[in-house]
Amino acid sequence: MITGDASYIKKMNRSLILKEILKEGMLSRADVSKATALTRATVSGQVADLLDEELVVEKEIEYNLVGRKPIMLSVNAEAGYAIGIDLEFDQISFAISNLQGSLVQSETMKLQATSYPDILSLLIAQIKHYQEGFAASRYGIIGIVIAIHGLVSTDEVIHYIPSFDWHDVPLKNDLEKALGLEVKLENNANLSAFAERVFFHHETDDLLSVTLYSGIGMGMMINHSFFRGQDGFAGEIGHMIVVPGGQPCNCGNKGCWEKYASETSVFQILRANKPEAEITYEQIERWIKDKDPEVTSVMEQFMYYLSIGLNNIINIYNPEVVVLDSELLRIYPDSLRAIESNLNSRVSHYREIKLSTIGKKSCSLGACAIAIQNFLQVPVLNLPYKG
């Protein structure tokens, strides 16, 4: 036997047990044994360790039949807390979740400055505040994951954030030195994709999440893992050219997808066409309900160009599920049917296209979920969505 085999197997069994308890919320020891195919003796030994570590708690449930009340196991939600941070172009959103993935606190701060020293100081101060606030729990803050709206390399160095004009910024190292905690950086679209799989699409191996707000980003889950590309920059799908020689883009090309099929593109057109109006989601929804011909035409064009890009990525990746995250699509009646009516290729194959239920919170929730997965060392994380 190779030295270390026993400890490795024990670690794998522990991960399997935690995975099943998290997925179901509550399980008896007998149910854990069935779900994992582990012997009852193995389960009992592992559960004893988890109880000692306060990662699992026991609870008797109401039972109307004769006999002992079943003792159920659940992950101790209050044993530790994860911090998910969404570093957006005009604000920073903070989310704190317990170990079951439920949000316990959230906060958004508008940015007054975008210089690296200013934002670094803000992050350090706020994270230290959360460290103090949750220090009474057994494990305190168990992980910090930050969503970056830009290019993050495989070694978690920020290569470029367009909205801040940051280049090659060592945010991870600077935060870890200041806080004494491990910090993880991840692309925002990847975290949105992770949240969609963790909280909703538990049986999906291959999922694409397309976010359509300020630009277009795509997170790719392939066999439960991120597809990153050679340097970690895969997913910049907004810069796929859909109109050769079209509108100039900041990336240096012309005719990029996000110039035609992002929410920003819709808002820009409506501001130009209706200069007297304040363009908000609520106003657009009113125009849609009133069947305003100008707004209807803009929305149809938006979905047409969106369909062109979706056709391309579906043919490239052949995903099970494509999740679209867009408030405009959520307020437009039958938007998915309108989009799918443009996907007519006989060679395009996918199982379903869905609108995101989580919306803009998917990024910070995905960040919390990554922290939970890393802390509990669960290979595949499935959590119930509690809104």
Side-chain angles (χ1 to χ4, degrees):
M1 176 183 286
I2 299 172
T3 304
D5 270 4
S7 61
Y8 174 75
I9 291 170
K10 184 176 181 180
K11 181 179 177 181
M12 292 300 295
N13 290 343
R14 175 190 174 99
S15 295
L16 284 173
I17 289 167
L18 284 171
K19 171 180 174 286
E20 292 302 326
I21 295 174
L22 282 166
K23 180 180 178 182
E24 300 301 329
M26 279 184 142
L27 279 178
S28 67
R29 286 170 174 77
D31 289 334
V32 170
S33 180
K34 289 177 185 176
T36 60
L38 297 173
T39 66
R40 294 198 178 195
T42 298
V43 169
S44 292
Q46 289 277 0
V47 167
D49 290 342
L50 292 169
L51 288 168
D52 287 342
E53 295 169 35
E54 297 181 31
L55 288 174
V56 165
V57 292
E58 294 179 310
K59 181 180 179 181
E60 284 189 351
I61 63 170
E62 292 301 321
Y63 188 62
N64 295 325
L65 301 178
V66 176
R68 294 176 57 189
K69 292 181 179 179
I71 297 176
M72 306 298 284
L73 303 167
S74 63
V75 168
N76 183 5
E78 286 73 42
Y81 296 86
I83 300 179
I85 302 172
D86 189 3
L87 185 56
E88 301 180 74
F89 73 97
D90 61 346
Q91 64 185 26
I92 304 179
S93 299
F94 297 88
I96 314 294
S97 82
N98 61 28
L99 290 187
Q100 293 180 1
S102 296
L103 281 182
V104 298
Q105 189 174 331
S106 61
E107 191 171 356
T108 298
M109 296 182 175
K110 289 291 182 183
L111 290 177
Q112 305 302 319
T114 59
S115 72
Y116 179 65
D118 287 336
I119 290 181
L120 177 64
S121 296
L122 191 158
L123 287 170
I124 291 170
Q126 194 63 19
I127 292 170
K128 284 184 175 179
H129 170 70
Y130 293 135
Q131 281 183 283
E132 293 171 3
F134 292 93
S137 62
R138 170 70 186 264
Y139 295 98
I141 299 300
I142 56 93
I144 302 162
V145 179
I146 303 178
I148 303 300
H149 292 245
L151 300 178
V152 184
S153 65
T154 51
D155 56 359
E156 297 180 57
V157 171
I158 296 174
H159 178 65
Y160 180 46
I161 298 182
S163 57
F164 296 160
D165 197 29
W166 287 2
H167 299 265
D168 301 319
V169 171
L171 179 62
K172 174 184 170 71
N173 288 340
D174 289 345
L175 285 174
E176 289 180 342
K177 287 177 184 177
L179 299 168
L181 290 173
E182 183 178 353
V183 175
K184 182 171 181 57
L185 306 187
E186 186 57 79
N187 175 266
N188 66 297
N190 280 347
L191 291 174
S192 291
F194 191 71
E196 296 292 345
R197 206 219 58 77
V198 166
F199 290 102
F200 281 98
H201 301 279
H202 294 171
E203 306 306 320
T204 300
D205 293 330
D206 301 320
L207 178 146
L208 304 181
S209 174
V210 183
T211 55
L212 302 169
Y213 296 109
S214 58
I216 299 181
M218 184 171 73
M220 295 171 281
M221 299 292 298
I222 307 296
N223 195 24
H224 300 296
S225 299
F226 292 130
F227 178 81
R228 301 180 186 279
Q230 178 181 344
D231 299 312
F233 303 153
E236 291 298 317
I237 204 71
H239 299 289
M240 168 177 58
I241 295 173
V242 296
V243 181
Q247 296 180 37
C249 180
N250 291 335
C251 77
N253 279 325
K254 294 181 178 181
C256 290
W257 192 25
E258 66 179 40
K259 302 301 292 183
Y260 298 86
S262 66
E263 291 196 349
T264 293
S265 68
V266 173
F267 275 75
Q268 287 174 342
I269 293 171
L270 291 178
R271 288 191 185 107
N273 293 352
K274 295 178 178 288
E276 74 290 347
E278 183 183 2
I279 310 300
T280 64
Y281 288 115
E282 293 76 16
Q283 180 59 66
I284 293 172
E285 187 171 16
R286 285 193 290 271
W287 282 327
I288 290 170
K289 287 180 179 177
D290 293 340
K291 294 183 169 46
D292 181 295
E294 195 170 34
V295 174
T296 299
S297 175
V298 171
M299 286 297 297
E300 288 176 350
Q301 177 179 281
F302 164 60
M303 289 184 288
Y304 168 73
Y305 282 112
L306 179 56
S307 303
I308 291 175
L310 289 176
N311 183 75
N312 292 342
I313 64 175
I314 287 168
N315 282 334
I316 293 169
Y317 292 103
N318 181 214
E320 287 181 71
V321 176
V322 180
V323 180
L324 304 178
D325 188 4
S326 163
E327 188 62 28
L328 289 179
L329 294 181
R330 280 188 284 272
I331 64 179
Y332 192 87
D334 295 324
S335 58
L336 288 185
R337 188 170 65 179
I339 291 166
E340 291 192 281
S341 69
N342 290 319
L343 301 176
N344 300 315
S345 172
R346 292 188 180 91
V347 299
S348 290
H349 291 282
Y350 59 94
R351 195 177 76 208
E352 59 181 340
I353 297 178
K354 303 281 287 185
L355 288 179
S356 172
T357 301
I358 310 174
K360 286 190 173 182
K361 290 190 297 183
S362 64
C363 198
S364 51
L365 274 177
C368 289
I370 287 278
I372 293 168
Q373 183 181 44
N374 290 344
F375 175 68
L376 295 178
Q377 298 183 315
V378 179
V380 178
L381 184 66
N382 294 315
L383 296 169
Y385 181 64
K386 298 178 182 178

